[in-house]
Amino acid sequence: GFDPTALTEQYDEFLTTAEDHVLLEIIVSDYGEFLESEIGRGGMSLVFLAQDLKHDRPVAIKVLASG
């Protein structure tokens, strides 16, 4: 299954700066329970499938790397 708490270890090569690590930690702490899976990864971003509970619909959360 998908474990949002393990994201910082899983994406260590993507997170090149301290700011990247902090951003991902904020996303996990604020939105981790809503994250369902990774749906994409590129040179500049990660994209996760999440659930918008207010509107009862799936959404994408895109995390851009610095640099």
Side-chain angles (χ1 to χ4, degrees), residues 33-34 51-57:
E33 66 188 282
F34 308 108
Q51 189 63 35
D52 178 345
L53 300 180
K54 181 177 179 181
H55 298 103
D56 191 29
R57 63 182 179 185

Side-chain angles (χ1 to χ4, degrees), residues 2-66:
F2 184 72
D3 180 11
T5 58
L7 287 177
T8 54
E9 296 170 11
Q10 188 176 1
Y11 298 112
D12 205 40
E13 77 280 356
F14 179 81
L15 305 170
T16 57
T17 67
E19 291 83 8
D20 290 341
H21 284 277
V22 170
L23 176 60
L24 192 57
E25 288 174 16
I26 291 169
I27 289 170
V28 169
S29 68
D30 289 352
Y31 304 106
E33 66 188 282
F34 308 108
L35 297 177
E36 296 180 0
S37 64
E38 176 188 330
I39 57 175
R41 181 192 311 203
M44 296 295 295
S45 66
L46 301 168
V47 183
F48 298 98
L49 175 64
Q51 189 63 35
D52 178 345
L53 300 180
K54 181 177 179 181
H55 298 103
D56 191 29
R57 63 182 179 185
V59 296
I61 296 177
K62 188 171 192 174
V63 181
L64 298 175
S66 62

